Amino acid sequence: MPYQFGLLRLCQSALQGGEGKSGALILAVISALLFTLLFDANVPNARADDVTTSVTVLNTAPTWTVDAQENIGSSTTTPTNSGSVVSWIGTATDSSGDNYYLLICKTSGTPTANISAAPTCNGGVANQWAVSASTGSGLQATAATTTRETFPFQNELNDWFAWVCDGNNPLPRCNLAFRQGSGTTSSPFVVNHPPIFTAISNDGPVDPGDTMTWNSTASDTDVAGVADTVQLIVCRTSGFSNGTCTGGAWATSTLASSNPATTTTIVIPTQDALYSAFVFVIDNHGHSATSTFQGFNSSFTVNNVAPSVSAATVSLEDTDGSGNLTLVTPSATTGPFRVRFTATDNNSCQATVGNEIATATINVYRSGITQAGCDSSGEYNPNNCYASSSPNFSPFVSCTQDGASCSGTSDTTSTWTCTFPLWYVADPTDTATPWTAENWLTSVSILDDDGFSSGLTEGSTGNEMTSFLAFNVTETAIGYGGLEPGQQNDPLATTTDLIALGNIGLDQDLYGDTMCTIWSAPDSCDTNGINPANDIPVSNQKFATSSVGYASTTAFTLTGSTTPAELLIRVPKTTATSSPQERDTYWGINIPSAITQAGSYLGQNTITAKKSNSSFW
Amino acid sequence: MGHFSLSPGSWVQRQDIALVGAKMRSMAAKHRRFFSMRFSLVTLIVFFVCAPLAHAGFGITPPYVNNQRLTRGTVFEQKITLVRSDPSEDLTAEITMNIPGIESWFSVDRGNTFILPKGTTQIPIIVRVQVPEDAEYKTHEGTIRVRTSSAAAGPQGSGVSIALGAQIDVDIEVVDKIYDFSVRKIRLSDLEEGRWKWGLFFPGKIRFLMTIENTGNTDYGPTGVRFEIYDADMETLLETTENTNTIESIPPFAIQEVLAELPTRLPAGRYKAKYTIQKGEEVAQQDVLDVSISTIGSVPGYEGYGFGGLSNADKLKVAGFVGIPLLIVLSLAVILARRRTSRPHVRW
């Protein structure tokens, strides 16, 4: 029976290659042929009874349609961070149309299929990574598990074996062929463990402009592929997501094998205050450390630093803000003069509360006195030194920050204005004075809200003090007394004073007018010429600096307005504010013998004060 | 308060300060009769000292008109302030000049006679010196006198009254043209850092204000300003920048604040700048000052640079973006226009 040998071969073939639909088909054909042979050869023909036949077709295991692989490749370059899900996908078809399970095991041992339940890995649950839900034949199954830092994910590299099984009842079957994916989605999957972060420190406090450093103790145990590196990130707020500070970063280190450190320059300006700095360590895959130091506030203090004044910005100004310093009040103070300057503070012009610069003080002095010569109370001198520490000056000084000159915390500067008065004796430095080569200067000191001082800064440029010619004559008239014609004041006895009420020494020019009894205005007596009987010529009056005889050569003849006579009376410059310098002029008159009219003679003399030679001040 | 004398050593105080005219003469007559009785045939001259007011402090500042740098055709104005400490009545101020040969150059804004009003302690006057075009190069000296007297009519007392005056010394020199100035004050306005817009960087604008006194006799002023900007410790030079605007000239002898605008590309922060103010080839002033550059939007009213502050590279970008298409359009227009004009006219 050669065909019987042929059947045997077919049987062998079906059993050996039996897989899929072709195997089942062959088995079915063989069964039919055997049935025919058996009944043809052994069963007598022409039996009258019918025979019932039956066969049980056994369940077959699902077959792979799409090989299993990691859904998202988990490799040494793209590991799965602990805490993240690793998942697998695969597709199988069951010839019976049964649902199937995708089972991910740790070993290649054949798993056990279970009736109407998920299969189990060889060795039990301990050897199982994941199993899918029951999935319809031909549909993609997904198995997933969430990784952890610890067992069973403590290893970086984790082999996996994928199986497909059905839950057929009564004969659940697993496909005996496992799959391990291919390329970057193949076994093993790689678990990235978090960095180990155990300490943080910083080198604060620091000044604005200095470098601030954070040092961490941190490392990473993962070495698969290339050993992991770690990075320190310092955030301004506690917000941290996906390796980025959500509220801005102070500093970010480079990746280091261990103990990353990072620095930042504290910008100028930065307010003096305590600043929060939340520290985070991540590895080169962006995986965050999990220790208590992660997100720790490694705060630091920015120091208060001393403010300063730019010498070039210091200006000493007149009351109207322009031109030379000009005194305008005889025998008193003039003001307010102004000192303006720019204050600079690396803590910004704005403090956490109010202005950073709290107060300012000024010394104002003639340059020859020098800054060092006018920086203490005892050096106060109304002629040339107005020291802020002096009770004679400080009560009259007012310094304020100019409104709107501080634009906020990013502004280091603010402008200030100080106002103050000066006495009328303040030394002039303009032309024809003993101090022409000098000028007036100011030195400024500012104090911040924490009491830090700038020290004194002298302005680069000063200003000139203008000569102030101011005076008074106490007398309003000259009384020569009662004289007969031909008589004279001898010696000159009547006096007028000349009081220096400005900042210079004085001389005077004098002139007079013809006198008569009906004098009403200058030149009113001699409009039609001098009448010897009724008019007293101006030249009959004499003056001198002392009580000399009328005929003395040092008694000078008064002249008319066109040719005033100069009297070098040399009133010194006043130096004491409460006792102005003064000198007297002595007057006398000779009554012409020709005068016949008795009576009260009137006239007017003019005293013109002028600046004297400074050598007599 | 005044006095009059009856005889040596016998002074009588008088309170009547309105004794004038006939009353005065009547009183004198009474005296004449009295003395006629005691000193027959002797004429007696009596000098009343009966003044209406006490003098108060009077002064002028400055007491001079000085200028050694006048040139032909220039005008120099000197403000002189007349002051008095007790302005209890109107005073008449009279100005007289004694400046040989050049008095016609001088004038006073208030005229030669004016009132110092009651209640006013300071009266400024402007002495104006107009130098003729043909003025000789030489020095002139002289005086101007300011005399004050009561503005009320008639004598205000009796005897020899005293009027007060003050002398203004004049010392001027006519010379050739001088270009010069001095820097009296400098200051910086707050500024913000530059900003990016449309792919272009608009730099921050440094506004450097200089109060300049033109000490020459010709319109003049700073010819340039340069900033060398360093870090806050003045260790590293970060940027050098110069003014982009034309700095205003100042009239002779005037004091005026002028502005230099300089671009900066530095970010917000504090810096030190060594500034140089140029006077032609000379350095008029060089010093160091702090520069604070604030963040964008933090300086109220700040206006930064527009296109004028762009770098040359950015200007080229703008030119390329706007200029080239414009050039193409213009070229096309020209070509089309030429074609139209060169098309032969068809004559029927």
Side-chain angles (χ1 to χ4, degrees):
Chain A
M1 297 191 295
Y3 66 91
Q4 289 173 329
F5 286 107
L7 279 174
L8 280 173
R9 283 195 172 182
L10 275 172
C11 288
Q12 280 178 338
S13 161
L15 289 171
Q16 289 171 358
E19 188 173 305
K21 290 181 179 179
S22 58
L25 186 61
I26 291 169
L27 281 173
V29 171
I30 291 168
S31 300
L33 286 172
L34 283 173
F35 179 81
T36 306
L37 283 174
L38 285 172
F39 285 94
D40 279 354
N42 302 322
V43 178
N45 290 335
R47 293 286 294 261
D49 298 338
D50 288 338
V51 177
T52 300
T53 64
S54 66
V55 66
T56 300
V57 178
L58 297 177
N59 175 46
T60 57
T63 57
W64 289 102
T65 307
V66 178
D67 285 352
Q69 58 189 318
E70 292 163 3
N71 190 14
I72 297 170
S74 177
S75 63
T76 55
T77 54
T78 57
T80 302
N81 290 339
S82 58
S84 297
V85 171
V86 60
S87 62
W88 295 263
I89 54 173
T91 306
T93 303
D94 190 274
S95 59
S96 308
D98 289 339
N99 281 0
Y100 74 97
Y101 298 90
L102 175 63
L103 177 66
I104 310 297
C105 297
K106 297 179 182 177
T107 69
S108 59
T110 304
T112 303
N114 298 310
I115 296 170
S116 302
T120 52
C121 292
N122 191 335
V125 175
N127 275 351
Q128 177 181 305
W129 288 123
V131 64
S132 75
S134 175
T135 306
S137 173
L139 299 178
Q140 177 178 283
T142 302
T145 186
T146 301
T147 60
R148 299 190 297 273
E149 297 174 41
T150 54
F151 178 84
F153 302 97
Q154 71 276 21
N155 296 324
E156 276 189 272
L157 304 178
N158 301 278
D159 290 331
W160 57 266
F161 301 85
W163 305 86
V164 283
C165 305
D166 62 21
N168 183 266
N169 187 4
L171 185 60
R173 300 285 297 272
C174 287
N175 190 317
L176 299 180
F178 60 81
R179 295 288 186 268
Q180 286 192 293
S182 62
T184 57
T185 57
S186 65
S187 176
F189 70 89
V190 181
V191 174
N192 178 37
H193 298 90
I196 300 165
F197 182 17
T198 56
I200 184 72
S201 64
N202 67 52
D203 65 352
V206 291
D207 293 346
D210 283 355
T211 299
M212 177 78 195
T213 302
W214 284 269
N215 292 298
S216 71
T217 302
S219 61
D220 196 301
T221 56
D222 294 337
V223 294
V226 177
D228 280 3
T229 51
V230 286
Q231 186 177 34
L232 174 64
I233 299 171
V234 185
C235 300
R236 291 174 184 267
T237 68
S238 58
F240 185 74
S241 176
N242 297 324
T244 305
C245 301
T246 56
W250 283 112
T252 301
S253 77
T254 56
L255 288 164
S257 58
S258 64
N259 301 338
T262 185
T263 62
T264 187
T265 299
I266 302 301
V267 298
I268 299 173
T270 298
Q271 291 178 318
D272 49 303
L274 178 69
Y275 290 87
S276 293
F278 297 90
V279 291
F280 299 90
V281 169
I282 61 172
D283 66 14
N284 55 317
H285 303 297
H287 196 17
S288 298
T290 55
S291 75
T292 55
F293 289 97
Q294 187 77 349
F296 179 76
N297 185 2
S298 178
S299 60
F300 64 98
T301 297
V302 172
N303 292 325
N304 183 61
V305 292
S308 63
V309 174
S310 295
T313 66
V314 179
S315 62
L316 178 56
E317 299 177 1
D318 191 28
T319 52
D320 62 0
S322 177
N324 296 342
L325 306 175
T326 305
L327 302 166
V328 293
T329 314
S331 192
T333 58
T334 296
F337 294 96
R338 293 186 284 202
V339 168
R340 286 185 162 171
F341 59 89
T342 299
T344 302
D345 196 306
N346 285 354
N347 295 122
S348 94
C349 56
Q350 183 176 306
T352 47
V353 178
N355 294 328
E356 177 68 14
I357 305 301
T359 59
T361 54
I362 55 170
N363 300 327
V364 181
Y365 46 91
R366 180 162 50 76
S367 58
I369 300 300
T370 75
Q371 176 181 312
C374 186
D375 60 0
S376 65
S377 176
E379 290 165 335
Y380 172 81
N381 182 330
N383 293 275
N384 49 41
C385 168
Y386 292 76
S388 61
S389 53
S390 167
N392 294 315
F393 186 50
S394 59
F396 309 103
V397 181
S398 169
C399 292
T400 54
Q401 182 171 305
D402 297 336
S405 69
C406 174
S407 62
T409 54
S410 67
D411 189 1
T412 59
T413 60
S414 58
T415 59
W416 279 68
T417 301
C418 297
T419 57
F420 59 97
L422 292 173
W423 279 100
Y424 67 100
V425 297
D427 293 342
T429 56
D430 55 358
T431 182
T433 67
W435 307 285
T436 300
E438 300 183 26
N439 63 357
W440 279 69
L441 295 172
T442 185
S443 56
V444 178
S445 174
I446 55 177
L447 212 62
D448 71 13
D449 60 337
D450 294 310
F452 281 37
S453 172
S454 65
L456 280 174
T457 300
E458 185 175 78
S460 304
T461 55
N463 205 345
E464 300 292 346
M465 179 67 73
T466 307
S467 293
F468 179 34
L469 190 166
F471 67 99
N472 193 15
V473 175
T474 308
E475 296 78 15
T476 56
I478 301 168
Y480 288 120
L483 296 168
E484 294 178 7
Q487 286 187 327
Q488 61 196 24
N489 300 109
D490 195 12
L492 309 185
T494 304
T495 60
T496 56
D497 57 17
L498 181 66
I499 308 170
L501 301 182
N503 63 0
I504 59 175
L506 299 176
D507 278 329
Q508 60 186 0
D509 279 355
L510 305 170
Y511 64 88
D513 198 10
T514 299
M515 300 172 67
C516 62
T517 56
I518 56 168
W519 185 94
S520 59
D523 300 327
S524 59
C525 294
D526 54 2
T527 308
N528 299 315
I530 292 177
N531 181 341
N534 300 322
D535 297 334
I536 303 174
V538 67
S539 59
N540 279 47
Q541 297 182 65
K542 286 197 173 183
F543 58 87
T545 57
S546 59
S547 182
V548 297
Y550 184 85
S552 168
T553 55
T554 56
F556 304 103
T557 301
L558 191 64
T559 54
S561 61
T562 55
T563 54
E566 181 182 55
L567 181 63
L568 300 178
I569 192 170
R570 290 167 181 166
V571 182
K573 172 186 178 292
T574 295
T575 55
T577 56
S578 57
S579 53
Q581 293 282 350
E582 64 175 288
R583 291 277 169 88
D584 287 341
T585 301
Y586 291 77
W587 296 88
I589 191 168
N590 170 265
I591 308 301
S593 302
I595 290 289
T596 57
Q597 184 181 357
S600 178
Y601 279 71
L602 306 175
Q604 186 176 65
N605 291 352
T606 298
I607 299 174
T608 302
K610 62 182 186 180
K611 189 176 186 175
S612 66
N613 187 310
S614 64
S615 60
F616 299 105
W617 292 7
Chain B
M1 183 160 53
H3 299 83
F4 72 97
S5 171
L6 296 174
S7 62
S10 173
W11 296 88
V12 176
Q13 192 174 45
R14 279 191 63 93
Q15 298 295 331
D16 182 5
I17 60 171
L19 196 61
V20 291
K23 192 173 179 181
M24 293 279 289
R25 281 190 291 275
S26 167
M27 187 177 257
K30 283 181 185 173
H31 291 152
R32 274 199 301 275
R33 284 196 295 274
F34 175 77
F35 284 110
S36 294
M37 286 189 288
R38 293 191 59 181
F39 308 104
S40 59
L41 301 177
V42 175
T43 302
L44 186 68
I45 309 302
V46 179
F47 299 94
F48 285 94
V49 183
C50 182
L53 299 167
H55 284 137
F58 174 67
I60 57 172
T61 181
Y64 51 76
V65 176
N66 280 352
N67 195 318
Q68 313 306 315
R69 294 185 165 199
L70 291 174
T71 195
R72 291 167 176 164
T74 57
V75 173
F76 170 59
E77 292 184 340
Q78 174 69 60
K79 181 176 119 176
I80 293 174
T81 304
L82 311 185
V83 301
R84 53 182 179 146
S85 55
D86 184 19
S88 56
E89 64 163 345
D90 285 351
L91 288 182
T92 299
E94 295 172 74
I95 291 183
T96 56
M97 296 184 187
N98 179 23
I99 317 166
I102 60 166
E103 277 179 20
S104 61
W105 298 6
F106 287 72
S107 61
V108 176
D109 63 339
R110 291 177 183 270
N112 287 340
T113 302
F114 53 90
I115 297 294
L116 305 181
K118 177 182 178 180
T120 304
T121 58
Q122 299 175 36
I123 298 289
I125 62 172
I126 303 294
V127 177
R128 180 183 168 94
V129 185
Q130 169 80 59
V131 183
E133 292 289 352
D134 58 353
E136 218 179 324
Y137 291 143
K138 64 179 288 191
T139 298
H140 301 272
E141 293 181 354
T143 56
I144 297 172
R145 289 195 178 87
V146 182
R147 175 179 178 275
T148 62
S149 59
S150 173
Q156 296 297 298
S158 58
V160 181
S161 62
I162 296 172
L164 301 184
Q167 179 172 300
I168 299 167
D169 297 317
V170 174
D171 184 2
I172 62 170
E173 185 173 2
V174 181
V175 296
D176 204 352
K177 285 188 175 181
I178 295 174
Y179 295 87
D180 201 3
F181 66 83
S182 64
V183 182
R184 296 183 72 97
K185 188 175 76 171
I186 58 100
R187 66 187 176 95
L188 269 182
S189 293
D190 284 342
L191 73 146
E192 295 177 2
E193 61 189 330
R195 63 198 73 197
W196 285 95
K197 202 171 184 183
W198 308 313
L200 305 170
F201 185 76
F202 294 87
K205 184 190 280 184
I206 298 172
R207 287 169 54 81
F208 183 61
L209 295 124
M210 302 159 279
T211 301
I212 302 294
E213 179 176 11
N214 186 342
T215 54
N217 53 30
T218 310
D219 282 4
Y220 197 46
T223 53
V225 172
R226 186 175 71 253
F227 269 46
E228 293 172 5
I229 305 178
Y230 294 79
D231 61 0
D233 297 323
M234 204 109 193
E235 290 174 349
T236 309
L237 176 62
L238 304 173
E239 184 182 53
T240 299
T241 182
E242 295 183 349
N243 62 298
T244 55
N245 65 322
T246 302
I247 302 170
E248 192 181 351
S249 286
I250 300 159
F253 320 118
I255 299 174
Q256 200 170 305
E257 189 173 63
V258 295
L259 169 69
E261 296 176 338
L262 303 92
T264 178
R265 298 177 160 271
L266 295 172
R270 181 199 166 186
Y271 305 92
K272 290 251 185 208
K274 184 163 80 176
Y275 69 87
T276 305
I277 301 171
Q278 291 290 143
K279 185 195 293 179
E281 297 301 314
E282 297 175 30
V283 172
Q285 190 177 86
Q286 190 172 65
D287 210 330
V288 174
L289 79 167
D290 289 297
V291 176
S292 177
I293 301 177
S294 299
T295 51
I296 292 171
S298 60
V299 179
Y302 169 78
E303 284 185 15
Y305 267 107
F307 287 99
L310 294 178
S311 65
N312 288 337
D314 279 349
K315 282 176 182 168
L316 279 175
K317 279 188 202 171
V318 175
F321 190 73
V322 177
I324 291 174
L326 195 65
L327 204 62
I328 291 169
V329 170
L330 286 174
S331 303
L332 287 173
V334 169
I335 290 167
L336 283 173
R338 282 186 179 172
R339 280 188 180 173
R340 279 188 183 173
T341 53
S342 60
R343 187 178 295 163
H345 293 283
V346 179
R347 292 183 180 177
W348 299 93

